[in-house]
């Protein structure tokens, strides 16, 4: 260490926001960092140069935040997530720094348009959907409410696939978001850790000593950190998103290479790099499954080693860990961290098991995101044991502790013991990651009030009985910076003019808008904003798909992962029924409607892919039938991602949140739409229930079965065939689909899909169809009374402030982390 050197000088003065200086710096970066003359620079070069200049301003705040955390000995929060669906960062960073006008002016003085280059930034799709987007909103909110936090995940080279359509079928292509480099990130070679797999465990120690365990992995890879700064609103704080990439210990096996085996020489390298190549490798094959477990352990181990290193450097006392560190597990994907922390504490740092267990439980907390049985993670014991032999021992040790306690102190029955065990014993033995996460944490939270209640009654019923204080609710939220201020600048400007700026720092101040809901002049402005946003979307649809849609029609939007429980199928069948009606009753005054869809299906999810094809087939027929006279259009926009959502959400009149009640844990898409002044048509599911409480039932269109009714129907004798036969609208629509009206090239294409509805209809499409169709006609009637329509939609915007992720994060900080 230098005892006295220039390193001790105060840090450089923060950089200025003066547009002239910004312009000069952009040219400087273009010249010396990118090596391009302004005269020949391509738009991508301007983008990179601009990001580099903004990044310097972020670095000033970043270092300030880090120093503050260190000096105040504040507790650090670590958010472990296999997904971060962050989208583009440029506009977010500029806006949160308060640099928008300055950068726009600086660029325009150089003849460059900010909007043009911002649109070139790739959309970092390091997530599947809601869970990953939640992690991104939470990162931004933690910086905003000034919580020292790190996000930990994997720097997938290809992220989730890019979706294209080939004759209406989904085709998956690799996403190449790193093709032009990534100027936001900093590679931290010095933050590298070894992560092991396989091998064996040696037991050391004499007969009168406690045994010590040493894991001797058969394989090792290096995890190297890449840091991306996360800027909070008004740059109050800048936190770090630390993503790991995998490297081989030996990049090339020189002996093999020199012996002429050029491919074999790279085997280690390829194997290591496969770890961080794609998100969610198709898990249909055993090899794919193993890769997924490897990814989970890889990022868990690297993160835990990093967390302990940072803690020891500052406090040098592992017993202080629960006071200085909170680790939040975003679903069970990082749950193996619990066993890894115990291993590090016992095997590397020499603590005894009971002390390590106590520290671990007080440090971790877990968020559950799903009750779907097929989505509850578990790993075959033989696989787990082969890949992580020491962790398998630790899981058994935890299990013994928990089960003995449950039996001796609580007197649980065999049946109850079976349900709380970390090992599934029926059929193939498996490690239950949900149970591991639950028992290894001091808090298990659901993501909406309904989901939390259902958790207590279903997946965790027995664990809840054993630990009645552990389950708590933290309803999800969305960041109003991205999902209002940035994606909807027109509405933001109107809100500022009308109610002032308070809502920009506290979303609940949007309440002040309530008294303008019936004001005809304000309604006029509000509807004009909506219309402008619809024109923007119509232009995108025209450009990208060559389909013309009319901005004066109702824009009815359903965008989310394609899944049977989310019931895109219900929406499509209703479109078919409406199509029938329009043709049969041309004399009626039909309200023009555009039904827009977007979303990706998991590559191995057959029915979801078939639903995409159905949407496209139905769209082709309806959009080209002159008898429809343009009263109904159906559009499926490919490659749903954050950037597409940012254009579609502000343009929606109607938000489709129609999942089978009890199956959507929370939803966050529902919140984005309502905040931007769309009317929700939805079931009483997930956070829709609480939205109804805040927004008012009269300002939503709620229909269909409740979660309780769904559970009853499933347990009883639900007979979808009888329901279908009793509804002429539904049976006609289904027979059109099944008989090939929309698929003349392959008349049987959708037969199995329709047959599924007749035979079991697990997702209650038939049961809810009539109520849904009626609710849609109620929407039409409301649309025709435009004062009533805008009164309701304005009240949605006014009353959605509670759903800010700032509120959610404050609740986590107070109740779970005791931080900030
Ligand atoms: C918000 C969001 C989601 C989650 O949508 P849900 O309707 O809650 O399922 C998924 N993907 C993207 C890109 C999002 O922005």
């Amino acid at each position: 260490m230098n005892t006295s050197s220039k390193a001790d000088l105060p840090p450089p003065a923060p950089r200025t926001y003066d547009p002239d200086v910004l312009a000069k710096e952009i040219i400087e970066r273009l010249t010396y960092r990118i090596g391009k003359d302004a005269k020949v620079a391509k738009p991508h070069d301007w983008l990179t140069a601009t990001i580099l200049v903004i990044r310097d301003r972020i670095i000033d705040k970043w270092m300030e935040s880090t120093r503050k955390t260190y000096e105040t000995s504040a507790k650090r929060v670590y958010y472990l997530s296999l997904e971060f669906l962050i989208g583009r960062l440029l506009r977010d960073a500029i806006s949160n720094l308060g640099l928008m006008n300055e950068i726009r002016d600086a660029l325009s003085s150089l003849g460059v348009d900010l909007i043009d280059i911002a649109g070139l930034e790739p959309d970092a799709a390091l997530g599947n959907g809601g869970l990953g987007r939640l992690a991104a909103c939470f990162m931004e909110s933690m910086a905003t409410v000034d919580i020292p936090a790190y996000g930990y995940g994997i720097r997938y080279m290809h992220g989730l696939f890019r979706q294209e359509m080939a004759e209406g079928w989904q085709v998956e292509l690799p996403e190449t978001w790193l093709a032009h480099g990534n100027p936001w990130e900093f590679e931290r070679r010095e933050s590298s850790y070894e992560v092991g797999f396989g091998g064996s465990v040696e037991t050391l120690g004499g007969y009168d000593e406690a045994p010590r365990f040493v894991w001797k992995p058969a394989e090792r890879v290096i995890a190297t950190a890449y840091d991306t700064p996360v800027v909070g609103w008004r740059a109050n704080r800048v936190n770090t998103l630390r993503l790991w990439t995998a490297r081989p210990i030996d990049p090339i096996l020189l002996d093999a290479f020199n012996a002429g085996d050029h491919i074999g020489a790279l085997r280690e390298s390829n194997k290591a790099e496969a770890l961080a190549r794609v998100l969610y490798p198709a898990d249909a094959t055993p090899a794919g499954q193993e890769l997924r477990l490897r990814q989970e352990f890889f990022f868990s181990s690297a993160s835990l080693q990093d967390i302990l290193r940072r803690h020891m450097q500052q406090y040098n006392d592992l017993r202080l860990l629960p006071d200085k560190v909170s680790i939040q597990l975003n679903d069970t994907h990082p749950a193996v961290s619990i066993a890894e922390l115990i291993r590090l504490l016992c095997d590397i740092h020499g603590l005894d098991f009971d002390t390590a267990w106590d520290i671990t439980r007080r440090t971790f907390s877990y968020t559950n995101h799903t009750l779907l049985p097929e989505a509850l993670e578990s790993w075959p014991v033989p696989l787990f044991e082969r890949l992580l032999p020491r962790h398998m021992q630790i899981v058994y040790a935890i299990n013994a502790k928990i089960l003995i306690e449950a039996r001796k102190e609580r007197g649980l029955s065999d049946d109850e013991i079976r349900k709380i065990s970390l090992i599934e014993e029926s059929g193939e033995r498996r490690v239950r990651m949900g149970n591991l996460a639950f028992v290894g944490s001091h808090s298990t939270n659901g993501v909406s009030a309904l989901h939390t209640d259902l958790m207590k009654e279903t997946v965790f019923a027995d664990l809840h009985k054993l630990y009645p204080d552990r389950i708590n609710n933290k309803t999800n939220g969305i960041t109003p910076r991205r999902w209002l201020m940035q994606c909807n600048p027109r509405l933001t400007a109107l809100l500022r003019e009308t109610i002032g700026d308070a809502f920009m720092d506290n979303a609940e101040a949007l309440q002040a808008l309530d008294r303008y809901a019936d004001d005809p002049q304000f309604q006029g402005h509000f509807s004009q904003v909506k219309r402008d946003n619809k024109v923007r979307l119509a232009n995108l649809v025209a450009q990208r798909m060559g389909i013309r849609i009319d901005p004066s029609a109702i824009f009815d939007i359903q965008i989310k992962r394609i899944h049977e429980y989310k019931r895109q199928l219900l929406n499509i069948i209703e479109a078919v029924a409406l199509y029938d009606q329009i043709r049969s009753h041309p004399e009626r005054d039909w309200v023009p409607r555009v039904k827009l869809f977007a979303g990706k299906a998991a590559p191995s999810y057959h029915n979801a892919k078939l639903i995409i094809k159905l949407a496209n087939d139905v769209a082709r027929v309806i959009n080209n039938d002159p008898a429809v006279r343009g009263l109904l259009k159906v559009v499926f926009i490919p490659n749903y991602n954050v950037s597409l959502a940012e254009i579609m959400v502000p343009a929606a009149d109607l938000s489709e949140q129609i999942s089978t009640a009890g199956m959507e844990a929370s939803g966050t898409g529902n919140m984005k739409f309502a905040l931007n002044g769309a009317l929700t048509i939805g079931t009483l599911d997930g956070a829709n229930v609480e939205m109804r409480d805040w927004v008012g039932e009269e300002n939503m269109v709620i229909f269909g079965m409740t979660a309780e009714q769904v559970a009853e129907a499933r347990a009883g004798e639900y007979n979808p065939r009888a329901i279908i036969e009793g509804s002429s609208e539904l049976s006609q629509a289904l027979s059109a689909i099944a008989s090939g009206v929309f698929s003349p090239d392959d008349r049987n294409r959708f037969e199995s899909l329709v047959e599924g509805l007749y035979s079991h209809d697990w997702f209650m499409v038939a049961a809810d169809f009539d109520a849904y169709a009626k609710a849609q006609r109620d929407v039409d009637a409301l649309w025709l009374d435009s004062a009533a329509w805008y009164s309701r939609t304005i009240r949605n915007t006014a009353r959605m402030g509670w759903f800010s992720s700032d509120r959610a994060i404050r609740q986590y900080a107070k109740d779970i982390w005791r931080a900030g």
Side-chain angles (χ1 to χ4, degrees):
M1 275 290 248
N2 292 316
T3 46
S4 160
S5 74
K6 290 197 174 150
D8 293 333
L9 292 176
R15 305 213 165 197
T16 167
Y17 285 16
D18 178 341
D20 290 337
V21 178
L22 291 168
K24 279 200 195 95
E25 284 189 28
I26 290 171
I27 294 292
E28 214 244 13
R29 297 298 186 287
L30 201 57
T31 313
Y32 293 105
R33 292 292 300 280
I34 303 169
K36 283 273 177 87
D37 191 311
K39 291 198 180 61
V40 299
K42 296 261 175 0
H44 256 292
D45 302 321
W46 287 109
L47 172 66
T48 305
T50 305
I51 290 174
L52 290 174
V53 168
I54 290 160
R55 205 179 73 165
D56 284 353
R57 273 80 194 156
I58 297 174
I59 290 174
D60 289 330
K61 305 276 183 185
W62 202 6
M63 299 202 163
E64 197 183 301
S65 303
T66 311
R67 274 196 297 274
K68 189 166 74 179
T69 309
Y70 203 88
E71 282 160 12
T72 58
S73 303
K75 190 173 194 180
R76 293 181 176 90
V77 172
Y78 295 101
Y79 198 83
L80 269 57
S81 179
L82 212 44
E83 303 183 20
F84 287 92
L85 192 49
I86 52 183
R88 290 173 176 150
L89 298 180
L90 178 62
R91 197 188 44 195
D92 197 44
I94 297 176
S95 161
N96 279 5
L97 286 167
L99 209 63
M100 191 56 85
N101 294 334
E102 291 79 356
I103 285 285
R104 195 184 291 126
D105 292 352
L107 282 169
S108 80
S109 76
L110 299 166
V112 177
D113 184 45
L114 173 59
I115 308 281
D116 289 350
I117 61 167
L120 296 175
E121 189 182 357
D123 193 294
L126 310 182
N128 273 297
L131 174 149
R133 185 53 231 174
L134 184 77
C137 284
F138 275 10
M139 286 304 296
E140 199 263 6
S141 276
M142 286 190 283
T144 295
V145 308
D146 200 15
I147 289 172
Y150 294 75
Y152 278 112
I154 295 179
R155 180 180 176 272
Y156 303 104
M157 185 183 280
H158 295 298
L160 189 62
F161 63 88
R162 184 163 55 84
Q163 180 193 57
E164 282 189 12
M165 293 298 148
E167 290 168 12
W169 294 100
Q170 167 174 297
V171 180
E172 300 103 28
L173 298 162
E175 181 73 80
T176 54
W177 71 293
L178 292 169
H180 289 267
N182 178 3
W184 291 112
E185 67 186 10
F186 293 83
E187 184 181 359
R188 308 287 195 198
R189 284 268 175 164
E190 73 285 6
S191 296
S192 290
Y193 301 92
E194 270 190 34
V195 177
F197 296 101
S200 58
V201 181
E202 272 181 32
T203 312
L204 305 177
Y207 71 95
D208 55 349
E209 301 173 67
R212 288 200 303 111
F213 300 94
V214 182
W215 177 26
K216 298 272 168 72
E219 297 168 51
R220 289 168 305 148
V221 298
I222 306 281
T224 298
Y226 282 75
D227 287 350
T228 301
V230 179
V231 188
W233 174 234
R234 298 200 193 278
N236 273 342
R237 165 175 278 282
V238 177
N239 282 328
T240 303
L241 175 60
R242 172 159 280 194
L243 301 178
W244 300 104
T245 192
R247 296 177 198 291
I249 294 206
D250 296 317
I252 183 162
L253 303 174
L254 269 186
D255 288 347
F257 190 85
N258 291 337
D261 182 8
H262 300 155
I263 305 275
L266 292 172
R267 200 177 47 234
E268 292 298 302
S269 180
N270 290 335
K271 197 163 178 191
E273 280 159 16
L275 270 173
R277 210 166 271 276
V278 289
L279 168 67
Y280 273 38
D283 52 9
T285 64
Q289 282 225 352
E290 175 169 338
L291 183 53
R292 171 79 176 188
L293 179 56
R294 280 173 182 263
Q295 286 185 323
E296 293 184 356
F297 180 68
F298 165 75
F299 104 101
S300 295
S301 175
S303 306
L304 264 294
Q305 293 182 60
D306 199 39
I307 291 167
L308 290 191
R309 179 198 50 77
R310 188 173 299 112
H311 176 81
M312 287 303 278
Q313 197 181 325
Q314 185 165 3
Y315 300 107
N316 196 32
D317 183 355
L318 288 169
R319 283 159 213 270
L320 288 180
L321 199 71
D323 300 324
K324 294 298 173 188
V325 167
S326 273
I327 305 177
Q328 188 71 38
L329 303 174
N330 194 25
D331 213 319
T332 56
H333 315 144
V336 69
S337 299
I338 288 168
E340 174 68 350
L341 179 58
I342 293 176
R343 183 186 74 87
L344 294 170
L345 293 178
C346 294
D347 300 1
I348 308 293
H349 294 277
L351 299 188
D352 64 85
F353 182 84
D354 287 344
T355 307
W357 173 238
D358 177 62
I359 291 174
T360 299
R361 261 223 265 218
R362 287 162 57 216
T363 303
F364 278 103
S365 44
Y366 154 55
T367 305
N368 173 276
H369 284 272
T370 180
L371 307 172
L372 300 187
E374 70 272 22
L376 290 174
E377 263 194 316
S378 70
W379 296 107
V381 165
L383 169 64
F384 200 94
E385 190 152 39
R386 173 166 59 77
L387 221 51
L388 303 168
R390 177 61 182 132
H391 300 80
M392 193 69 242
Q393 290 180 340
I394 292 170
V395 168
Y396 281 131
I398 297 172
N399 207 32
K401 206 174 169 60
I402 299 287
L403 297 188
I404 289 168
E405 191 183 292
R407 169 86 75 195
K408 292 219 170 116
E409 289 170 28
R410 313 291 187 97
L412 260 58
S413 69
D414 282 354
D415 192 44
E416 288 164 319
I417 293 276
R418 230 189 333 273
K419 286 181 189 147
I420 64 168
S421 174
L422 303 190
I423 309 293
E424 161 93 62
E425 299 281 358
S426 60
E428 183 193 30
R429 298 176 73 235
R430 302 177 79 93
V431 184
R432 291 169 166 156
M433 302 308 274
N435 288 22
L436 175 61
F438 189 110
V439 302
S441 303
H442 59 88
S443 158
T444 293
N445 75 284
V447 290
S448 71
L450 174 65
H451 164 239
T452 305
D453 287 343
L454 292 174
M455 243 164 77
K456 293 179 186 171
E457 292 164 18
T458 59
V459 259
F460 294 133
D462 293 274
L463 280 166
H464 175 56
K465 260 187 251 158
L466 197 56
Y467 305 102
D469 300 330
R470 202 163 291 181
I471 295 184
N472 64 93
N473 175 236
K474 298 287 169 283
T475 299
N476 284 169
I478 53 171
T479 165
R481 272 71 65 185
R482 184 175 292 259
W483 296 112
L484 175 61
M485 287 149 63
Q486 293 161 33
C487 74
N488 203 341
R490 293 184 181 95
L491 181 57
T492 304
L494 175 62
L495 294 172
R496 294 178 72 178
E497 270 167 40
T498 312
I499 57 169
D501 287 357
F503 77 91
M504 300 175 84
D505 292 284
N506 169 19
E508 292 184 53
L510 283 167
Q511 289 278 7
L513 198 65
D514 225 275
R515 63 189 192 84
Y516 294 89
D518 294 316
D519 174 340
Q521 199 190 346
F522 183 75
Q523 288 190 350
H525 296 316
F526 195 84
S527 63
Q528 186 58 47
V529 164
K530 183 62 79 181
R531 183 169 174 100
D532 291 346
N533 290 331
K534 289 166 75 175
V535 169
R536 178 171 69 157
L537 176 58
N539 289 336
L540 179 145
V541 168
Q543 236 174 39
R544 235 180 250 186
M545 327 205 35
I547 299 176
R548 288 185 37 167
I549 57 176
D550 176 3
S552 55
I554 297 183
F555 278 19
D556 167 350
I557 304 191
Q558 187 172 22
I559 48 176
K560 47 184 77 240
R561 289 301 298 257
I562 309 296
H563 203 294
E564 286 164 286
Y565 86 78
K566 290 176 181 280
R567 297 203 294 192
Q568 283 92 355
L569 187 55
L570 177 59
N571 192 348
I572 297 166
I573 295 168
E574 202 276 327
V576 170
L578 179 58
Y579 170 54
D580 273 347
Q581 294 284 318
I582 291 173
R583 286 188 306 171
S584 319
H585 303 285
E587 76 290 355
R588 290 195 195 154
D589 284 330
W590 294 103
V591 175
R593 221 185 244 255
V594 183
K595 278 188 181 274
L596 294 127
F597 295 87
K600 294 175 183 174
S604 58
Y605 190 168
H606 177 257
N607 274 1
K609 291 176 124 173
L610 207 49
I611 289 168
I612 292 177
K613 175 61 173 159
L614 177 62
N616 283 308
D617 280 355
V618 166
R620 195 194 54 250
V621 171
I622 293 180
N623 297 350
N624 294 309
D625 186 339
V628 176
R629 294 166 290 141
L631 291 168
L632 178 62
K633 288 245 160 106
V634 178
V635 181
F636 188 101
I637 307 181
N639 204 36
Y640 181 48
N641 59 17
V642 172
S643 296
L644 184 58
E646 287 169 355
I647 295 175
M648 295 186 79
V649 166
D653 295 306
L654 188 65
S655 159
E656 298 270 356
Q657 308 300 336
I658 59 176
S659 51
T660 314
M663 303 202 75
E664 185 74 88
S666 164
T668 49
N670 46 1
M671 302 170 190
K672 299 167 194 166
F673 283 104
L675 181 62
N676 284 277
L679 193 72
T680 302
I681 183 167
T683 48
L684 283 176
D685 199 15
N688 293 355
V689 178
E690 289 149 273
M691 282 170 55
R692 179 196 57 176
D693 296 341
W694 282 93
V695 165
E697 181 151 23
E698 68 285 6
N699 299 311
M700 292 171 78
V701 181
I702 301 284
F703 73 93
M705 299 168 90
T706 62
E708 216 170 318
Q709 290 166 337
V710 169
E712 263 170 41
R714 281 179 180 166
E717 279 154 35
Y718 175 50
N719 183 353
R721 184 174 299 276
I723 294 178
I724 295 167
E725 284 164 2
S727 163
S728 58
E729 238 190 309
L730 177 57
S731 49
Q732 278 174 34
L734 290 183
S735 68
I737 294 169
S739 66
V741 169
F742 303 98
S743 53
D745 54 326
D746 177 4
R747 296 201 160 266
N748 301 328
R749 179 175 295 142
F750 302 115
E751 210 177 7
S752 64
L753 207 55
V754 172
E755 181 46 36
L757 298 184
Y758 276 95
S759 63
H760 53 84
D761 188 24
W762 182 248
F763 301 97
M764 304 276 149
V765 170
D768 273 345
F769 180 83
D770 280 356
Y772 178 60
K774 175 178 178 306
Q776 291 288 20
R777 301 293 74 79
D778 292 346
V779 168
D780 287 341
L782 192 62
W783 177 260
L784 293 173
D785 180 354
S786 103
W789 179 274
Y790 287 107
S791 157
R792 282 165 177 72
T793 55
I794 292 165
R795 287 200 164 87
N796 270 267
T797 299
R799 298 175 181 182
M800 282 299 293
W802 186 81
F803 294 90
S804 162
S805 43
D806 297 350
R807 180 273 313 157
I809 285 301
R810 287 198 177 93
Q811 292 180 332
Y812 275 85
K814 178 167 164 290
D815 303 341
I816 301 179
W817 305 329
R818 294 167 207 277

